[in-house]
Amino acid sequence: MRVTVIGTGYVGTVTGACLAYCGHRVTCVDTDARKIEKLRRGEMPIYEPWLEELLQLAAARGGIDFTTGLEAPAAESDVIFIAVGTPPLETGEANLCYLEAAARSSGAAMDDSRFRVVVNKSTVPVGSGNLVDTLVREGIGEAHPGQLKRIHFGVASNPEFLREGNAIADSLYPDRIVLGAEEERTLQVLRELYGPLIAQSFEAPAFLPRPAALAQVPVVTTTLTSAEMIKYAANAFLAVKIGFANEVANICERVGAEAPEVMTGIGLDARIGARFLNPGLGWGGSCFGKDIQSLLHTAREYGYRSRLLEAALEVNLAQRQLAIQKLQEKLFILKGRTIALLGLAFKPETDDLRDAPSLQIAERLLQMGARVKAYDPIAMEACRESYPALRIQYCGSAEDAAQDADALVLVTEWKQFASLDLRGLAKRMARAILVDGRNLFDPETARQAGFDYCGIGRPQRAARTNGAAAPTMT
Ligand SMILES: NC(=O)c1ccc[n+]([C@@H]2O[C@H](COP(=O)([O-])OP(=O)(O)OC[C@H]3O[C@@H](n4cnc5c(N)ncnc54)[C@H](O)[C@@H]3O)[C@@H](O)[C@H]2O)c1
């Protein structure tokens, strides 16, 4: 099929690459000419593992190109995806100006040569499907006065669930595909488009083998409104789940229980599940905070106050402050101290810094008069560029960051940090204090390496005084 994807961010580029890899002819469109130029040169405007490799394969399969001009590709496409940003406004509402422009321009590009489906992949407030329909109509009306009845299109909501850092695998091997539309004809187009993914009939790329158990991807077909709600409900649930783990961890710390052990114990309950139960310095990223704010805003518009979701935001903010509290417990005064942050990205395997806990932690430390050094394997350039006012001293390695620092705070659990030479790091520091904000390290190993260690939900002194081994599962 012929496909246009509007927006070449994390979602749009990955969607375009996967669909072209599955054999569709794709054009990706963005108003940001710099991004388009980069993509044309084969350079990635974002860091996402395997994206470059997949784009190369995609070009040789269905074919994929990049442009700033929407009109020509949209005119010849069967499916037009909208994957533009929907960042939060000060009020918590989603800013729909990019979506509005994309929908209106899509309408303007249409003629009566074919039936087209406009698919909204951006996360938008419940009810935005109707808005897209209205805007496409307006676009058609403005560009082709009097021809609205002859130009046929459908609108669908197809929320995106990819995780940055794992986006290609999540898109090629999704847990489910949600398709929301009001007309069977529209759904039929999308079932055909996603046919290779639903049936898993495409040849898996060598670098990302298909999970052994995956034979068929479940498709959830819903109304437009339900599809929009599914996206918000999924993100809200995950944020609440992490918030719950953090709350329990904070209690663990006070009563002398080991939070990671507790999480193992509850996560094995099939009703609970082990994932998203890692206590830490709170979640971040472009989605959770923005989407919960937006859902709260929608609920308020309908006269409903969601106390649980409000609490999820509050708990998360407090969790980020734990890094500062723990540093104060160890160092008392932070003014004039040098604090080294390991990790800046909001999570490993991405360069995305949107709503990253590291930013708030760095900002607070700087306000308190501390010096902040940082090392991140990927996100330092993005941080320097996007947050020039943040007076962070960027370092070339974890060792450089640790050199002469008064404390080390592990903020992002990049895999490579797990194999750092802790003894070597401790020796370089003015004071060997380690705040392990993601419970990446084994406390005993860190202590033996010379660190004054504290994790999240881990009592200061080992709870096990009888020499018993870590909990085992039999
Ligand atoms: N990033 C994620 O992990 C993720 C996951 C699921 C859903 N989402 C949702 O998907 C949407 C996109 O997210 P993202 O992270 O890819 O955003 P992004 O900010 O990385 O990319 C959006 C792109 O859209 C472009 N754009 C804006 N207006 C345009 C227009 N009129 N025409 C063409 N291009 C335009 C921007 O220049 C930008 O490159 C958001 O609604 C987000 O909530 C994101």
Side-chain angles (χ1 to χ4, degrees):
M1 293 172 97
R2 184 73 176 95
V3 179
T4 293
V5 180
I6 309 177
T8 59
Y10 292 85
V11 170
T13 315
V14 170
T15 301
C18 289
L19 289 173
Y21 179 77
C22 287
H24 299 297
R25 173 75 185 86
V26 177
T27 298
C28 292
V29 182
D30 206 293
T31 43
D32 185 337
R34 261 183 6 154
K35 267 190 185 175
I36 292 298
E37 272 315 309
K38 270 194 158 182
L39 283 160
R40 280 183 176 160
R41 289 196 299 268
E43 293 168 25
M44 298 301 104
I46 53 167
Y47 174 80
E48 180 59 47
W50 305 121
L51 179 58
E52 192 172 345
E53 289 82 351
L54 194 77
L55 277 171
Q56 277 164 13
L57 295 177
R61 289 184 167 220
I64 185 162
D65 64 338
F66 304 93
T67 178
T68 51
L70 173 66
E71 201 173 328
E76 56 189 47
S77 284
D78 308 292
V79 181
I80 302 168
F81 276 96
I82 298 179
V84 298
T86 47
L89 292 167
E90 295 241 310
T91 53
E93 269 174 286
N95 181 351
L96 296 181
C97 72
Y98 306 108
L99 177 96
E100 288 171 9
R104 208 174 257 120
S105 313
S106 300
M110 290 181 185
D111 57 21
D112 61 0
S113 63
R114 67 183 76 208
F115 174 71
R116 297 177 186 80
V117 175
V118 179
V119 187
N120 186 25
K121 235 184 200 314
S122 297
T123 305
V124 291
V126 179
S128 298
N130 301 338
L131 175 69
V132 170
D133 186 85
T134 305
L135 293 164
V136 172
R137 269 175 214 290
E138 280 176 15
I140 295 174
E142 283 157 20
H144 314 283
Q147 293 193 41
L148 198 52
K149 285 217 168 83
R150 291 177 38 214
I151 298 177
H152 301 290
F153 72 96
V155 169
S157 167
N158 171 217
E160 179 55 62
F161 302 101
L162 64 77
R163 293 163 296 170
E164 286 174 20
N166 212 47
I168 306 295
D170 287 346
S171 301
L172 289 177
Y173 313 122
D175 292 337
R176 79 298 208 188
I177 293 173
V178 174
L179 302 176
E182 306 300 326
E183 288 178 338
E184 182 50 34
R185 188 183 183 188
T186 302
L187 289 170
Q188 203 42 49
V189 170
L190 293 184
R191 283 194 202 100
E192 190 186 330
L193 178 84
Y194 278 123
L197 285 171
I198 295 168
Q200 287 291 302
S201 55
F202 63 89
E203 186 193 336
F207 48 81
L208 270 181
R210 178 174 288 116
L214 184 64
Q216 174 100 6
V217 173
V219 178
V220 182
T221 306
T222 71
T223 62
L224 271 172
T225 311
S226 297
E228 289 163 354
M229 193 66 195
I230 285 169
K231 175 64 194 171
Y232 281 109
N235 272 357
F237 182 83
L238 294 173
V240 168
K241 192 173 181 189
I242 299 172
F244 173 82
N246 285 333
E247 286 274 76
V248 171
N250 293 339
I251 302 172
C252 283
E253 209 165 294
R254 285 161 176 78
V255 300
E258 278 283 331
E261 295 178 353
V262 173
M263 297 310 151
T264 304
I266 66 172
L268 284 167
D269 185 327
R271 292 168 302 176
I272 296 173
R275 292 163 74 185
F276 277 66
L277 277 183
N278 302 331
L281 294 176
W283 44 258
S286 67
C287 294
F288 282 6
K290 150 178 99 69
D291 292 351
I292 292 182
Q293 292 276 13
S294 175
L295 187 53
L296 280 169
H297 189 270
T298 302
R300 275 198 299 273
E301 278 184 345
Y302 286 80
Y304 186 74
R305 181 177 161 208
S306 168
R307 289 165 185 81
L308 182 63
L309 296 187
E310 283 175 2
L313 290 179
E314 200 183 312
V315 166
N316 197 56
L317 273 187
Q319 206 65 21
R320 292 176 180 187
Q321 292 308 316
L322 271 188
I324 311 289
Q325 275 173 33
K326 285 177 185 287
L327 287 170
Q328 284 176 323
E329 279 162 25
K330 297 283 181 196
L331 291 165
F332 299 106
I333 293 164
L334 298 185
K335 198 176 174 64
R337 309 279 197 200
T338 301
I339 311 298
L341 305 184
L342 287 187
L344 292 167
F346 87 91
K347 67 172 180 178
E349 299 300 333
T350 182
D351 60 350
D352 200 342
L353 286 148
R354 288 177 284 186
D355 198 22
S358 65
L359 299 176
Q360 239 174 6
I361 294 168
E363 204 175 338
R364 186 78 192 111
L365 286 170
L366 290 166
Q367 272 169 5
M368 295 175 90
R371 291 184 178 80
V372 178
K373 298 166 90 181
Y375 170 70
D376 186 288
I378 295 291
M380 288 197 293
E381 203 184 311
C383 197
R384 209 184 267 126
E385 230 176 74
S386 308
Y387 304 94
L390 216 49
R391 285 171 295 106
I392 293 177
Q393 182 189 332
Y394 297 98
C395 301
S397 65
E399 289 75 16
D400 281 356
Q403 190 67 47
D404 301 325
D406 293 298
L408 199 58
V409 183
L410 186 290
V411 186
T412 315
E413 67 277 34
W414 283 91
K415 243 190 254 144
Q416 50 266 58
F417 291 158
S419 52
L420 282 171
D421 167 18
L422 289 181
R423 198 172 290 281
L425 281 185
K427 280 199 185 127
R428 287 168 178 267
M429 298 178 61
R431 283 158 224 253
I433 292 168
L434 173 57
V435 177
D436 182 0
R438 302 291 171 187
N439 289 343
L440 184 69
F441 302 108
D442 171 54
E444 264 329 294
T445 310
R447 286 183 185 121
Q448 276 164 20
F451 272 110
D452 179 357
Y453 172 93
C454 63
I456 306 290
R458 295 176 141 177
Q460 275 305 291
R461 282 181 300 113
R464 239 173 272 113
T465 50
N466 58 359
T472 51
M473 286 182 270
T474 52

